[in-house]
Amino acid sequence: MISSFHMEPEQLIELDDQASGLRGFIVIHSTALGPAAGGCRLWAYDDDAAALTDARRLAEGMTYKNAMAGLPLGGGKAVIMRPAGDFDRPALFRAFGRAVDRLDGRYVTAEDVGTKVADMQDIAAETGFVAGLAKQAERAGGDPSPWTALGVFEAMKHAVHHAHNCDLRGLTVAVQGVGNVGAGLCALLSEAGAKLIVADVDPHRCKHVSDRLGARIVDVGDVLAVEADIVAPCALGGVLTPAVVGAMSARIICGAANNQLSSPEMAAEIAARGIVYAPDYVANAGGIINVSAEYLGEEACQVRDRVMAIGPRMADILKEADLAGLSPAMIADRQAHRIVANAPALVR
Ligand code: NAI
């Protein structure tokens, strides 16, 4: 369970195509706000149960993320179990595309961990219910990472203003993972006058950011405990454990990684320690905002307005959390639930 609330999914679809080796699940968690949208993950799961558990958790997270981003989309997710050994990748994704097409638009797919633009193009040969394709002219589309980085940056700016009534200039931000999103975030932070500390399991990525922006490199095991004002988890989920939070000197957590809390209970523990946690699925919605605009055929400029709205939305959540004496994660979950619960009256 990723949140303090829980809603059962609307539909579970088992994928099984022996010819291509396709095996996995599509979970349609909610279509209350629109087609269930969420990426397709390709991963080496131990067994069916592990794949289905992951798909359910991720699909539910997408319902809340899309609701809070103000998108006309529900939540869903697909997981494909990576076949052992060599496999015909285009055939696998075309079989997946046919499965998506059979759902008649109730689920819209895109990239996720382990999948890329070329896979989406194979899927698009079989169905129109796919985004994350190459960008065309002024249309929205292309790499979502810069939009995710911008949304996290805006969320962080508002969190800093909420906690310290100042801007980012002169503050130190420790960034865990300087991949597509983390490196983009570092560039925005540097421009805003923040000092950077970075860590990545890939030393080349750290060196690149350090050479370009003067970031200090620390060990991957130290980055969340280092002396800093803000930490930005931009690598993996589940990193905010009791031990990590107990050793943290930063007073603000705001990053791009999905499902940062090791359990829903961590939200209250973080708040009790006087640390401001910017709920991940609110901060990192820039990518799905871009994917949504691509799918709906909107212009790139519309994406920017929606991504910039992440900052004020975060400020509202933090303010409401203070007033209610609850964690920001609990407030975000509550708001997301309310949006989904009220959807039939608003949309249908
Ligand atoms: P990426 O794969 O480009 O970057 C992740 C980076 O983290 C890599 O450089 C990797 O070497 C590093 N890393 C892995 N394990 C690490 C560890 N233990 N310690 C330090 N660094 C480690 O991924 P991307 O696209 O930058 O995404 C980052 C996070 O944000 C992921 O959790 C992703 O699910 C999430 N996210 C990304 C979105 C996007 O638009 N790309 C949208 C929403 C969420």
Side-chain angles (χ1 to χ4, degrees):
M1 189 165 81
I2 55 111
S3 84
S4 43
F5 295 88
H6 181 59
M7 283 164 53
E8 285 300 310
E10 287 178 16
Q11 193 180 352
L12 306 177
I13 300 103
E14 187 176 340
L15 305 170
D16 193 7
D17 179 75
Q18 293 192 348
S20 65
L22 173 68
R23 173 99 202 126
F25 298 91
I26 297 173
V27 175
I28 296 179
H29 181 260
S30 169
T31 55
L33 290 165
C40 168
R41 180 165 291 196
L42 177 69
W43 195 252
Y45 292 97
D46 287 345
D47 52 30
D48 280 9
L52 182 57
T53 301
D54 205 27
R56 288 180 69 129
R57 182 182 63 92
L58 292 164
E60 183 169 4
M62 290 309 299
T63 296
Y64 303 141
K65 184 188 292 204
N66 294 341
M68 287 303 283
L71 300 174
L73 298 172
K77 202 86 181 183
V79 302
I80 299 180
M81 299 169 77
R82 192 185 175 86
D86 288 342
F87 62 98
D88 182 343
R89 195 164 175 122
L92 185 87
F93 282 99
R94 286 190 72 144
F96 174 68
R98 290 192 290 278
V100 171
D101 201 59
R102 284 195 289 274
L103 295 171
D104 245 350
R106 276 172 56 72
Y107 169 65
V108 179
T109 198
E111 286 99 338
D112 193 63
V113 174
T115 56
K116 47 193 186 202
V117 173
D119 303 326
M120 298 307 119
Q121 271 153 352
D122 287 324
I123 294 168
E126 303 286 350
T127 184
F129 304 119
V130 55
L133 303 164
K135 183 166 164 36
Q136 289 170 357
E138 294 308 304
R139 290 277 169 211
D143 181 8
S145 306
W147 294 114
T148 305
L150 179 61
V152 172
F153 175 70
E154 290 300 316
M156 196 183 285
K157 264 183 10 195
H158 283 75
V160 165
H161 191 264
H162 173 86
H164 305 307
N165 201 19
C166 68
D167 61 24
L168 283 158
R169 184 162 299 279
L171 297 189
T172 301
V173 187
V175 182
Q176 180 190 43
V178 282
N180 293 321
V181 179
L185 176 64
C186 285
L188 294 167
L189 289 169
S190 172
E191 212 176 300
K195 292 178 221 152
L196 296 169
I197 297 173
V198 296
D200 197 298
V201 287
D202 180 344
H204 300 294
R205 291 193 164 179
C206 277
K207 186 171 179 324
H208 184 66
V209 175
S210 176
D211 289 350
R212 213 160 43 102
L213 306 172
R216 178 158 74 90
I217 300 171
V218 297
D219 218 66
V220 289
D222 297 335
V223 66
L224 297 179
V226 81
E227 191 81 24
D229 299 292
I230 304 157
V231 295
C234 295
L236 312 165
V239 293
L240 300 177
T241 61
V244 164
V245 170
M248 195 173 273
S249 87
R251 297 291 92 186
I252 296 175
I253 305 169
C254 180
N258 283 312
N259 301 331
Q260 291 167 31
L261 302 175
S262 63
S263 70
E265 293 74 35
M266 282 308 296
E269 190 165 333
I270 291 169
R273 294 186 66 87
I275 300 172
V276 173
Y277 168 66
D280 46 18
Y281 64 79
V282 180
N284 72 13
I288 189 71
I289 289 171
N290 187 53
V291 165
S292 157
E294 175 192 339
Y295 181 69
L296 299 171
E298 296 174 343
E299 305 284 314
C301 59
Q302 291 172 272
V303 175
R304 188 174 177 85
D305 291 347
R306 289 200 192 113
V307 173
M308 294 304 284
I310 289 174
R313 184 173 300 124
M314 187 62 75
D316 282 351
I317 290 168
L318 298 179
K319 214 181 299 164
E320 193 178 327
D322 279 358
L323 287 172
L326 294 170
S327 70
M330 173 75 92
I331 297 296
D333 290 351
R334 205 159 76 171
Q335 290 188 4
H337 253 249
R338 209 176 295 138
I339 294 167
V340 175
N342 289 335
L346 291 173
V347 176
R348 286 171 183 164

